[in-house]
Amino acid sequence: MLKKCGLAAKVLISAAMAFAPPSQKTTHDAIGDLSGLPVLLQRAFAPDAGSFDPIPNPGPNDWLAVHDEPGQTFDEFKASRPNRPAPDRRIIYLQPLGDFVPERSPSIDKLREFAAAFFAMEVKALPPIPIQSSKFATRQNPLTGNPQILTSDVLKFLTTRLPADAFCILAITMEDLYPEPSWNFVFGQASLRDRVAVYSFVRYDPAFYGEPRMAGYEMLLLRRSCKVLAHETGHMFGLAHCTYFNCLMNGSNHLVESDRRPLHLCPVCLRKLQWSIGFDVLERYLELERVNRLTGFTDEADWLSRRIKTVQGE
Ligand SMILES: [Zn+2]
Ligand SMILES: [Zn+2]
């Protein structure tokens, strides 16, 4: 299955499909039966109103106004038989394509550290591959003239490079991407079956749109990049878009909408990821809190501190 996410390139037709935020029963059903789980997990997966905001009603150009998504309950996720890490396939590889120039790119090491805490898995960054020496098809965007790389070439290349111990390999780049000639651009593309994906962060830099880089833009670029990396890697685990809470796994159609999304998972999506990876929820929260605070994502770190107390039953 090829997956293109965040299809801002698509022409949006305002056929306002009626998305109604889910009822309490719907979200409970999506989380699934918690009886029989250890008490700590029951607390972690409870739809605590103080921690998790309901999904907002979509505006006219928001993802759920133009994409009719049914949601994916925890039980449906399990029944979809998603790829899961195994003892011999448990490393997430990051493959940088082209340069990540400091000041105009997120730090690969910070991205790696964030992903390692988020997925509670080992994440390794491979040496960058120069674009010039690659065989990827490129073009000048017919409308804007900026250079772009063909995603299908990158995905094909990655399938030949998948290390034996890889859960997945994710190419990350500051070059712009296109999935096929008829498309204007794409943020990223993945093949879940082949466990390969490519994402570009260049459109998260205000300078891409000719806008000034205001004070603090480096933190904004890093935050957006961590967010897209965690969201898209979530898809690699088989998590579909979330329609239950305000959640990292919500679809988004534009930058304002994705900036609005939190950097954390709702209880439905957290339960899916925990089932897949088998991490200790409390240890993961503690490490994520440390990394978020160190990185300067203070609001997220504060949210995590509160969650840690809740999960501990304080
Ligand atoms: Zn997505
Ligand atoms: Zn969610």
Side-chain angles (χ1 to χ4, degrees):
M1 175 175 50
L2 283 178
K3 181 161 184 49
K4 303 187 203 91
C5 185
L7 309 182
K10 238 181 174 177
V11 176
L12 302 176
I13 302 155
S14 298
M17 287 172 224
F19 171 81
S23 67
Q24 216 173 42
K25 180 181 179 324
T26 304
T27 51
H28 272 98
D29 290 349
I31 293 168
D33 183 11
L34 299 180
S35 62
L37 289 184
V39 66
L40 193 134
L41 287 183
Q42 292 193 20
R43 284 198 291 257
F45 303 146
D48 171 28
S51 302
F52 302 106
D53 297 326
I55 188 163
N57 255 320
N61 285 327
D62 287 354
W63 182 266
L64 284 170
V66 285
H67 295 90
D68 196 7
E69 287 190 318
Q72 179 197 46
T73 67
F74 172 70
D75 290 333
E76 286 165 348
F77 165 76
K78 256 182 23 177
S80 73
R81 304 174 59 84
N83 272 330
R84 289 170 83 180
D88 57 340
R89 275 187 185 183
R90 52 177 184 80
I91 296 173
I92 296 171
Y93 283 90
L94 300 181
Q95 173 63 72
L97 297 183
D99 297 330
F100 273 65
V101 180
E103 273 111 63
R104 12 188 205 100
S105 315
S107 143
I108 289 170
D109 201 51
K110 287 216 164 80
L111 290 169
R112 193 202 58 71
E113 192 182 25
F114 183 86
F118 192 91
F119 294 99
M121 284 170 67
E122 189 174 351
V123 179
K124 286 185 182 169
L126 297 166
I129 292 176
I131 306 288
Q132 295 75 10
S133 66
S134 75
K135 303 246 163 53
F136 307 141
T138 56
R139 73 169 184 187
Q140 307 290 116
N141 180 296
L143 299 173
T144 59
N146 69 290
Q148 296 181 308
I149 304 174
L150 183 63
T151 48
S152 50
D153 279 5
V154 179
L155 295 180
K156 248 182 271 164
F157 167 79
L158 292 176
T159 56
T160 67
R161 286 292 195 99
L162 193 71
D165 58 0
F167 170 68
C168 61
I169 183 167
L170 315 167
I172 53 174
T173 184
M174 294 307 287
E175 303 293 327
D176 202 25
L177 302 170
Y178 72 108
E180 50 191 273
S182 63
W183 282 56
N184 182 16
F185 76 93
V186 74
F187 283 115
Q189 192 169 359
S191 167
L192 304 192
R193 193 197 55 211
D194 295 325
R195 297 178 289 134
V196 298
V198 55
Y199 318 127
S200 170
F201 302 130
V202 73
R203 288 178 183 258
Y204 299 108
D205 180 352
F208 182 86
Y209 306 95
E211 291 164 16
R213 289 179 171 135
M214 312 292 262
Y217 82 92
E218 286 156 306
M219 188 62 87
L220 181 65
L221 176 60
L222 179 63
R223 190 185 179 102
R224 287 170 169 172
S225 303
C226 286
K227 195 182 278 186
V228 73
L229 184 63
H231 173 103
E232 300 297 342
T233 309
H235 285 319
M236 301 300 286
F237 286 83
L239 274 71
H241 282 153
C242 178
T243 56
Y244 304 107
F245 293 90
N246 195 27
C247 172
L248 174 80
M249 290 310 295
N250 297 152
S252 83
N253 241 351
H254 48 84
L255 217 46
V256 176
E257 191 177 20
S258 80
D259 281 345
R260 221 166 39 212
R261 282 193 312 219
L263 208 43
H264 54 254
L265 297 174
C266 80
V268 182
C269 298
L270 179 66
R271 189 174 184 196
K272 293 173 187 173
L273 201 64
Q274 197 278 333
W275 176 84
S276 178
I277 301 171
F279 50 69
D280 180 308
V281 171
L282 192 56
E283 274 176 26
R284 171 180 178 271
Y285 270 162
L286 286 164
E287 175 61 5
L288 256 184
E289 195 265 346
R290 187 190 71 80
V291 170
N292 273 281
R293 205 165 294 285
L294 195 74
T295 312
F297 302 156
T298 311
D299 53 339
E300 279 296 327
D302 290 347
W303 182 88
L304 285 157
S305 300
R306 293 194 297 275
R307 283 299 292 156
I308 288 163
K309 288 206 176 97
T310 306
V311 172
Q312 285 172 325
E314 284 175 24

